Amino acid sequence: MDALGASLHADGLSVTYLGGRTALRDVSLRVEAGERVAIVGANGAGKSTLLLRLAGLLRGAGRVLVDGREISSMSQPELRALLGIVFQDPDDQIVMPVTLDDVAFGPLCLGVSRAEALSAARRALEAVGMSAAADEAPYRLSYGQRKRVAIAGALAMGARALLLDEPSAGLDPRSRRGLIALLRDLPASLVVATHDLDLARQLCCRAILLSAGEVAADGPTHTVLDDAALLEAHGL
Amino acid sequence: MRGYDLDPYLPGRSLVHRLDPRLKLLLLVGFANVALWPSSRPLHRLALTSALCLGATALAGIAPGRLAARLAALIGLAGAAALGTLFGADPAEGAARVGSVAVVAWAALLVSASTPIGCLLSALAGLGAPPSLVSMLAIAHHLTFATADEAIRTVRAIRVRAPKRSIAGDARIVGLAMRSLAARCALRAERLQWALLARGFAGRIPTAPLQRPGWRDIGLSAAAAAALLLGHRWTR
């Protein structure tokens, strides 16, 4: 275990959706504790599916280990306290009618006392610059603001590994810069699925290129993203 | 999810707004019982319950028109039903029954207009409602907005792509929209389930504990309950 974050190890992940479409084929990857890895790829390459599979929300072949422990052998509270996920669309993630309650939802579900959960929620809202919206109804916020609330919800759980699906989508340039700074300082391992290649360059030291559900390249971010022929060949 | 407002809550600092939500719910149950109880003087009963509702609405500082706007569909339905009762054995009694249902709906709307949904859920939990029921209502509240959001997006998408309309064309479009809406809502519900699981949800939505009702709450509720009982005796 590393204080900087949890390690993630995926081995032979495959996912086939009902209807027969295979979204992931034998994907293996390793994310070291504290490492920040970008998952890039064209639309439909399998980035979101990979994150859902890593989070244990989709079933399929292969295994996922967090800090050396297989996630299927862990209890849900144990797994969720260790591994957080932020969905692409914040409307999928926000479930409570008041912003502060929504951010505190995860910690409360993990059995944290109400006072601690609210305190963690306030800290998380402050970290994403949304303290002023604590008492507002989330559906009254703009898309970008809801996105930040969704990220706060994951931060409040104190996860040691975070999976983020298109975290910068819908954010204005200032919020995007703030988000990058925030994610850089997080004491957690990050796996970021994104089309935002600049964000990948600024935030991640390693990039994995997914294409048609398979790993097409895995290496230092600049090496992968500067290879124009490689990106072109895989629809980027 | 902006540009429309399904949330019945209308913020305010009135006595009704600040009344303990558990007492509000208990008063609502009492009011519904009195309003719907068989009476030898149904029109008197209707006049009394309507006056109580009007008084509470005025005390809440909510313009009756704002509530009526939210009751528009119900008012239309009640009007149609009331027309039907004119042809019954006792038109006055029939109209009074339809009116009683509308008055109870008005009172329920007043409670939801003066109480944030989070407080209502806490009140339900505080009154001993099963956690599964509270969780179901919380998720249903969220899904109402999600469904409306999907419906608006579907209608908007159809409007911009089908400007020329005929009755047959409209019927076909409505059919397609319903199918699309059902599919989108099912997918949204699946993503919501993933989000709940990812945040440690184990079948129970956490609700905030409520403080004990103050003397002002108890006094106001006792006065309202006494008015209801007296009215009930008078119109029995």
Side-chain angles (χ1 to χ4, degrees):
Chain A
M1 301 244 287
D2 191 310
L4 282 174
S7 67
L8 264 174
H9 180 200
D11 191 17
L13 301 185
S14 294
V15 172
T16 302
Y17 284 113
L18 286 175
R21 189 174 71 85
T22 300
L24 281 186
R25 292 169 209 273
D26 197 25
V27 170
S28 297
L29 60 94
R30 179 181 281 278
V31 178
E32 300 303 335
E35 195 177 14
R36 298 193 294 262
V37 176
I39 310 284
V40 295
N43 292 329
K47 302 186 295 295
S48 298
T49 303
L50 175 60
L51 293 196
L52 291 171
R53 181 68 187 89
L54 285 173
L57 296 169
L58 276 183
R59 289 186 186 152
R63 59 193 194 129
V64 179
L65 291 89
V66 182
D67 268 344
R69 292 179 59 200
E70 197 161 340
I71 60 170
S72 56
S73 70
M74 296 163 79
S75 69
Q76 279 296 310
E78 210 177 357
L79 172 62
R80 299 305 160 204
L82 203 55
L83 184 64
I85 181 167
V86 178
F87 292 84
Q88 184 171 353
D89 187 345
D91 292 338
D92 295 337
Q93 185 143 355
I94 294 170
V95 287
M96 295 299 277
V98 177
T99 300
L100 183 67
D101 288 346
D102 186 79
V103 179
F105 176 86
L108 285 169
C109 283
L110 295 180
V112 171
S113 75
R114 185 154 190 93
E116 281 177 54
L118 289 177
S119 163
R122 286 202 178 89
R123 279 198 306 274
L125 280 173
E126 198 178 338
V128 298
M130 288 298 294
S131 297
D135 297 323
E136 285 194 46
Y139 58 84
R140 291 187 198 274
L141 303 175
S142 74
Y143 182 87
Q145 289 173 319
R146 295 204 298 279
K147 189 100 185 174
R148 284 148 75 184
V149 169
I151 292 170
L155 294 181
M157 294 176 75
R160 295 179 53 238
L162 261 185
L163 312 172
L164 299 115
D165 197 353
E166 298 289 359
S168 60
L171 294 186
D172 58 44
R174 188 176 169 191
S175 304
R176 185 179 163 281
R177 284 195 300 276
L179 174 73
I180 293 172
L182 168 75
L183 295 177
R184 260 203 199 125
D185 292 341
L186 279 183
S189 314
L190 297 182
V191 179
V192 185
T194 185
H195 279 122
D196 184 346
L197 301 186
D198 281 340
L199 174 128
R201 279 197 177 92
Q202 290 175 51
L203 184 66
C204 303
C205 49
R206 196 173 129 218
I208 295 173
L209 173 61
L210 270 191
S211 180
E214 293 181 75
V215 175
D218 182 350
T221 306
H222 288 281
T223 309
V224 173
L225 300 188
D226 289 348
D227 189 338
L230 176 74
L231 298 185
E232 182 71 29
H234 295 285
L236 278 175
Chain B
M1 283 196 281
R2 300 178 93 198
Y4 61 94
D5 195 356
L6 286 174
D7 191 352
Y9 179 58
L10 300 168
R13 295 286 305 154
S14 71
L15 269 180
V16 178
H17 280 86
R18 284 179 288 159
L19 185 62
D20 184 277
R22 287 163 295 197
L23 294 174
K24 270 192 237 184
L25 284 180
L26 290 175
L27 281 173
L28 177 62
V29 171
F31 180 84
N33 266 299
V34 170
L36 301 174
W37 201 270
S39 165
S40 58
R41 292 192 281 181
L43 286 176
H44 287 78
R45 172 75 54 91
L46 180 61
L48 173 83
T49 48
S50 299
L52 283 173
C53 248
L54 204 59
T57 307
L59 201 59
I62 297 172
R66 291 186 77 178
L67 279 187
R70 288 161 195 268
L71 275 172
L74 193 71
I75 288 170
L77 205 65
L83 270 180
T85 60
L86 293 179
F87 302 102
D90 188 347
E93 190 185 346
R97 277 188 194 158
V98 173
S100 301
V101 173
V103 164
V104 171
W106 178 3
L109 194 65
L110 180 61
V111 169
S112 56
S114 61
T115 323
I117 178 72
C119 289
L120 281 178
L121 294 172
S122 294
L124 274 174
L127 289 172
S132 55
L133 175 68
V134 178
S135 301
M136 206 169 68
L137 288 173
I139 293 171
H141 178 267
H142 175 75
L143 276 178
T144 303
F145 291 98
T147 306
D149 182 42
E150 293 293 357
I152 284 171
R153 287 183 202 204
T154 306
V155 168
R156 201 182 288 149
I158 287 169
R159 270 196 191 151
V160 297
R161 293 165 71 191
K164 279 188 181 177
R165 308 240 294 266
S166 62
I167 293 175
D170 275 358
R172 185 173 160 271
I173 284 170
V174 167
L176 286 172
M178 293 302 286
R179 198 175 67 178
S180 164
L181 186 61
R184 288 171 72 151
C185 287
L187 287 173
R188 176 71 79 89
E190 185 182 45
R191 295 199 298 266
L192 174 64
Q193 189 202 5
W194 285 339
L196 285 168
L197 289 174
R199 299 175 73 188
F201 178 68
R204 185 175 187 150
I205 295 274
T207 50
L210 293 168
Q211 290 179 339
R212 290 180 67 176
W215 287 112
R216 191 179 52 193
D217 293 313
I218 294 170
L220 192 63
S221 304
L228 275 176
L229 277 175
L230 284 174
H232 178 62
R233 282 176 69 93
W234 175 55
T235 57
R236 196 164 49 187

